[in-house]
Amino acid sequence: MNLQETFGTDAPVVGMVHLPPLPGAPRFDGDRESLRERMLADARALEAGGVDGIMVENFGDAPFYPEDVPKHVVAEMAALATELVDDVSVPVGINVLRNDAEAALSIAAAVGADYVRVNAHVGATVTDQGLIQGKAHETMRLRDRLDADVAVLADVGVKHAAPLADRPMREELVDAVERGLADGIVVSGSGTGDPTDRSVLETARETIDDAVPGTPLFVGSGVTAETVGETLELADGVVVGTALKQGGGTTNPVDEERVRAVVAAARNR
């Protein structure tokens, strides 16, 4: 994945659009139009604030399906993502929670999105949905069959999870790239909005530089205007959600001024 070609910068700030509960989810309020309007409002605030890319995910759909979401979820996300891609000029990514890489890649290919995030691309991890296992062998073959120019960003040590076995991060990261063919790596904290431990980031940076040079490294949680500069000393990009929301609440609307503050700090580091 060439960050300059994809995002127009070597240190992209990717902002999150956390979709409210979709139809079929327990907390869906019955109003598809308000869901659509909220998505577009958040995306426009992110773009106006200067982000280099947007990632959209079905954050409101808890409790999440472990791997294979129903067809109605794919349909709703495809419809919404189509509007989002048409409405903004920055690159768009798709994440289908909890770990439906097939759905994410299929949606991205259909709507013209640029990248997907896969929470468990290789190996196995224990989550609140139970055990989820990486399906890199299926995901990468599907990308070839669809002839999709879509980058795969793979989490290593994904949040809200614990490894099934005690395995060094270096091994998992190298496997994700060399054996799973991931285009980029994401590391994060223990939960949504939680800071990413500096030692984790340092290990990931050292591993990439030593074993899989040129692989983009993203930090996927806990980045704020105060920390984005030091984060980008080691990471190649950041995915930011909670810090860009009104009052710092993950499910709140995007606050354009907060976006500007994070982007400015990233640019002026």
Side-chain angles (χ1 to χ4, degrees):
M1 183 183 195
N2 185 304
L3 295 179
Q4 189 67 44
E5 290 181 1
T6 302
F7 297 103
T9 175
D10 290 327
V13 175
V14 177
M16 287 299 308
V17 169
H18 292 119
L19 292 173
L22 301 177
R27 294 172 178 160
F28 175 58
D29 65 6
D31 190 344
R32 276 187 170 88
E33 182 59 24
S34 67
L35 193 163
R36 171 186 167 278
E37 290 174 354
R38 167 65 183 275
M39 174 195 71
L40 292 177
D42 281 353
R44 290 165 182 168
L46 289 170
E47 185 171 31
V51 298
D52 305 296
I54 290 172
M55 178 84 73
V56 58
E57 69 179 19
N58 54 325
F59 185 81
D61 277 359
F64 302 114
Y65 292 91
E67 295 174 333
D68 191 14
V69 302
K71 293 179 178 64
H72 66 80
V73 175
V74 179
E76 295 287 350
M77 287 196 69
L80 290 166
T82 298
E83 290 203 54
L84 181 56
V85 168
D86 288 344
D87 194 73
V88 299
S89 59
V90 296
V92 173
I94 309 291
N95 188 20
V96 179
L97 298 171
R98 176 62 155 115
N99 196 54
D100 196 337
E102 179 182 4
L105 186 58
S106 299
I107 293 167
V111 308
D114 301 276
Y115 51 97
V116 297
R117 182 175 179 179
V118 182
N119 293 163
H121 185 57
V122 297
T125 187
V126 180
T127 73
D128 53 307
Q129 295 81 36
L131 179 66
I132 58 175
Q133 300 184 59
K135 296 182 179 179
H137 60 293
E138 296 180 359
T139 302
M140 307 316 287
R141 284 174 172 81
L142 176 62
R143 183 170 72 171
D144 284 346
R145 293 200 303 274
L146 297 177
D147 193 24
D149 186 16
V150 176
V152 173
L153 306 182
D155 276 89
V156 173
V158 67
K159 56 192 173 184
H160 299 287
L164 182 61
D166 186 14
R167 190 167 184 238
M169 169 183 278
R170 178 185 177 89
E171 293 180 8
E172 184 181 353
L173 192 157
V174 172
D175 277 355
V177 177
E178 290 192 340
R179 296 163 70 87
L181 306 185
D183 302 292
I185 294 296
V186 183
V187 296
S188 59
S190 60
T192 302
D194 291 342
T196 303
D197 190 274
R198 185 75 173 183
S199 65
V200 170
L201 183 52
E202 289 173 347
T203 299
R205 178 79 272 160
E206 291 169 3
T207 300
I208 287 175
D209 291 346
D210 178 55
V212 285
T215 304
L217 173 63
F218 289 81
V219 167
S221 75
V223 175
T224 66
E226 291 72 33
T227 64
V228 68
E230 63 187 40
T231 300
L232 288 171
E233 292 174 1
L234 294 174
D236 300 302
V238 292
V239 182
V240 193
T242 301
L244 307 182
K245 304 299 186 68
Q246 293 177 10
T250 305
T251 59
N252 290 343
V254 170
D255 183 333
E256 185 179 326
E257 291 307 310
R258 281 178 167 260
V259 180
R260 291 185 185 278
V262 170
V263 171
R267 301 288 181 267
N268 298 327
R269 65 187 189 283

